[in-house]
Amino acid sequence: MADKIDGLKLEQRHGKARVRVGRVWKNEDGRHFFVEWNVSISLLSDCIPAYVLDDNSNIVATDTIKNTVYVKAKECSEQLSVEDFAIGLGKHFTSFYQPVTAAIIKIVEKPWERVHIDGLPHEHGFKLGSEKHVTEVVVEKSGSLQVTSGIEGLAVLKTTKSGFEGFIRDKYTMLPETRERIVATEVTASWRYPFESISSIPVKPLYFAERYLDVKKVLVDTFFGPPKDGVYSPSVQSTLYQMAKAVLGRFHDISSIQLKMPNLHFLPVNLSNKESPAIVKFKDDVYLPTDEPHGSIEASVSRIWSKM
């Protein structure tokens, strides 16, 4: 919030960051479900007197915010998505506290996955995966809503069907053109839902959790192409656009998507020695992996009517 005080503009918010919570749900049949969330909350509120008059009467203590996360996790008697938990927290803070005008809830869900033993899912065993499910929810006292979901750390690589050629060449250019290379990246994706109020959210258990898995599958499938022949990638930029376009084409409840796809390099190893100064080429089978420095490639794709 921005306020003019003593001829100055004051913008302020407060909250609690990195509140870690684990939650177990137990079905009657004995199967357990587990999530681990890292919750950060920012409250926009009318607490200017705390800054200029030493009056804390309109402040929700950050320790109270932390405790609320655990209480609300306890109150969730049924398994729910990270987005639904964030929306519930936002509704609480904007309705329970009169000075709070809006709540911004950011949550990162650790990728705990059910273990399979001898091909069978374990009832209460989990292992830590790789990519993380993230969300940012903004809830206003009026009921206005913004929901953004995403993926962090989705690492993908294919050993062929990729090239890069026809780019600008000048006196600084040393990179050779190629139609045969490894392409690897670590995808960070975020997508916006069109829902503008809490009442417009679909009434469906685990709706957001299912959509997250759906989007992840489309991103991965588009990156790799068919399992036998794959799909050629003329650049990371082209592949990024095809991935974003596929998500918007498949899911009409997503209004926009942003992708960050750094080009993680695998450089072909070519060697020479004293006895034989000729370069020994390894013919696309031995590489030097390096991710520093790496190419930085990102873009967002939106429907024409999207506000993002």
Side-chain angles (χ1 to χ4, degrees):
M1 297 182 66
D3 293 88
K4 293 181 179 180
I5 307 293
D6 299 328
L8 304 171
K9 185 172 74 171
L10 172 63
E11 297 186 53
Q12 55 81 28
R13 64 177 64 181
H14 77 285
K16 201 72 165 182
R18 305 188 69 172
V19 181
R20 297 180 62 181
V21 55
R23 182 64 161 96
V24 177
W25 290 278
K26 303 174 183 179
N27 282 3
E28 293 181 358
D29 61 4
R31 173 165 290 196
H32 293 190
F33 297 87
F34 176 74
V35 295
E36 180 182 345
W37 293 327
N38 192 318
V39 183
S40 294
I41 299 171
S42 291
L43 302 182
L44 280 62
S45 60
D46 181 16
C47 58
I48 294 300
Y51 292 86
V52 299
L53 299 175
D54 301 331
D55 178 0
N56 298 332
S57 58
N58 278 350
I59 289 182
V60 182
T62 65
D63 188 67
T64 301
I65 297 172
K66 176 201 69 177
N67 295 339
T68 302
V69 173
Y70 295 113
V71 171
K72 293 302 176 183
K74 174 65 176 178
E75 291 177 355
C76 295
S77 58
E78 300 290 334
Q79 185 184 4
L80 80 168
S81 70
V82 64
E83 288 88 353
D84 285 321
F85 185 63
I87 291 169
L89 287 174
K91 288 170 60 178
H92 168 80
F93 286 112
T94 55
S95 62
F96 194 76
Y97 298 103
Q98 190 277 330
V100 176
T101 58
I104 303 170
I105 316 295
K106 299 180 181 180
I107 306 180
V108 178
E109 180 175 346
K110 269 196 170 183
W112 289 104
E113 303 170 348
R114 189 175 301 278
V115 169
H116 285 69
I117 304 296
D118 296 331
L120 298 176
H122 201 281
E123 292 295 296
H124 53 265
F126 299 85
K127 64 180 180 67
L128 192 60
S130 53
E131 65 273 2
K132 298 175 181 178
H133 181 177
V134 300
T135 191
E136 178 176 305
V137 170
V138 180
V139 180
E140 298 184 11
K141 190 178 289 291
S142 64
S144 177
L145 177 72
Q146 293 180 14
V147 180
T148 302
S149 297
I151 298 172
E152 292 180 354
L154 176 60
V156 289
L157 175 153
K158 57 183 183 180
T159 56
T160 188
K161 293 283 185 174
S162 175
F164 189 52
E165 55 189 344
F167 48 87
I168 294 173
R169 304 200 68 87
D170 55 37
K171 63 181 181 180
Y172 304 108
T173 305
M174 298 180 63
L175 183 70
E177 297 189 2
T178 182
R179 288 187 61 83
E180 178 59 44
R181 66 172 183 171
I182 286 178
V183 63
T185 187
E186 186 173 288
V187 180
T188 298
S190 62
W191 54 91
R192 173 75 61 83
Y193 292 95
F195 315 124
E196 296 184 347
S197 65
I198 293 173
S199 61
S200 65
I201 298 172
V203 182
K204 180 182 178 182
L206 298 177
Y207 162 79
F208 290 108
E210 291 179 5
R211 181 60 75 242
Y212 166 79
L213 295 176
D214 292 340
V215 171
K216 182 170 71 169
K217 184 178 187 305
V218 169
L219 291 173
V220 170
D221 290 354
T222 307
F223 177 86
F224 289 110
K228 180 66 175 178
D229 298 321
V231 61
Y232 182 72
S233 170
S235 66
V236 175
Q237 286 87 342
S238 174
T239 297
L240 181 155
Y241 178 69
Q242 293 303 323
M243 292 165 68
K245 184 179 177 183
V247 169
L248 294 181
R250 177 75 179 275
F251 307 112
H252 298 292
D253 56 356
I254 292 177
S255 57
S256 58
I257 182 168
Q258 181 182 51
L259 291 172
K260 298 180 181 180
M261 294 173 53
N263 195 352
L264 306 181
H265 302 294
F266 284 76
L267 307 178
V269 174
N270 298 315
L271 298 177
S272 62
N273 55 50
K274 292 181 179 179
E275 289 74 23
S276 175
I279 295 294
V280 178
K281 294 189 176 182
F282 281 78
K283 297 183 179 179
D284 302 314
D285 55 4
V286 178
Y287 297 84
L288 171 64
T290 177
D291 57 6
E292 294 182 358
H294 61 247
S296 177
I297 299 159
E298 60 183 272
S300 60
V301 182
S302 307
R303 304 186 193 280
I304 298 301
W305 50 262
S306 173
K307 295 180 180 180
M308 185 174 179

